[in-house]
Amino acid sequence: MTDRDLLHALRSGPTPTGEVYAWLLDAYGEELYRHCLRNLGDRDAAHVVLRDTLIVARAHSVRLVDDGRLGEWLHALAETECERHRDCVWGDRPPEPTVPSRGDDLVRVLVLNGMNGPELDGYRAHVAVRAGRFDDQGFPLGPGPCDVLARTSVSVFVPLVLMLSGALLVLFLTGAD
């Protein structure tokens, strides 16, 4: 299957999502996985990022202007997803690097099992929206700043909410006189 065929399948509504993901994995899965593994140093994280990369590719394929650059575009999406994962999930504490092994032969199965099915519609929609920053050629601009709530402990917000509630109560009681 050529890159043009893959891109057409990505953009085609009638093509079942599972088939499109399988074709992308057959064509680019191994090299994208190796790229993610080198960048993240963690097999589980590489599976997650590869899955998210394919979800973003399906959701935003219409943005790619030059269909001859599909491979380059997929690598750019993978790099952006690796960066997002490092920044938003790990913060300053990445895991210890791992070396690719023979067990990585199951990548296709693990990724497909983790992305197919109607129960994951909400997750796929979340990933597609989260990755909505692209240049005029359709290439990702990089992740935006992480959500403050996602990177901050809830224990920081509890005292803040209590203080604000107390201040509002004081204002309400003093204004009622």
Side-chain angles (χ1 to χ4, degrees):
M1 182 172 271
T2 68
D3 281 357
R4 291 189 200 288
D5 294 335
L6 279 172
L7 197 55
H8 177 72
L10 273 172
R11 293 174 175 166
S12 174
T15 306
T17 301
E19 285 182 38
V20 173
Y21 291 142
W23 294 334
L24 280 173
L25 281 171
D26 289 342
Y28 289 100
E30 185 175 329
E31 67 187 78
L32 291 173
Y33 174 73
R34 299 270 182 230
H35 177 82
C36 294
L37 186 57
R38 275 191 311 274
N39 276 288
L40 300 171
D42 179 79
R43 285 181 188 84
D44 292 336
H47 289 129
V48 168
V49 169
L50 177 57
R51 178 195 62 210
D52 290 357
T53 298
L54 298 181
I55 291 170
V56 171
R58 173 75 177 199
H60 296 286
S61 60
V62 296
R63 295 178 185 268
L64 181 60
V65 174
D66 182 356
D67 56 355
R69 297 177 70 189
L70 178 63
E72 182 184 351
W73 182 69
L74 289 169
H75 277 276
L77 293 177
E79 181 60 36
T80 300
E81 289 301 312
C82 284
E83 189 178 333
R84 177 176 287 111
H85 190 84
R86 279 192 309 267
D87 292 348
C88 297
V89 175
W90 291 342
D92 297 330
R93 299 166 302 183
E96 292 295 317
T98 57
V99 179
S101 71
R102 297 246 181 239
D104 294 335
D105 295 339
L106 296 175
V107 170
R108 186 176 194 277
V109 173
L110 290 171
V111 171
L112 284 175
N113 285 343
M115 67 192 320
N116 285 323
E119 67 278 2
L120 296 172
D121 287 346
Y123 178 76
R124 286 190 296 268
H126 163 75
V127 169
V129 168
R130 176 189 76 193
R133 296 170 21 98
F134 294 86
D135 67 14
D136 59 346
Q137 295 297 306
F139 281 75
L141 292 173
C146 292
D147 181 17
V148 173
L149 293 175
R151 295 193 64 173
T152 307
S153 170
V154 173
S155 63
V156 172
F157 290 103
V158 172
L160 182 62
V161 169
L162 289 174
M163 284 185 348
L164 288 173
S165 299
L168 289 173
L169 181 62
V170 168
L171 286 174
F172 176 74
L173 292 175
T174 58
D177 289 318

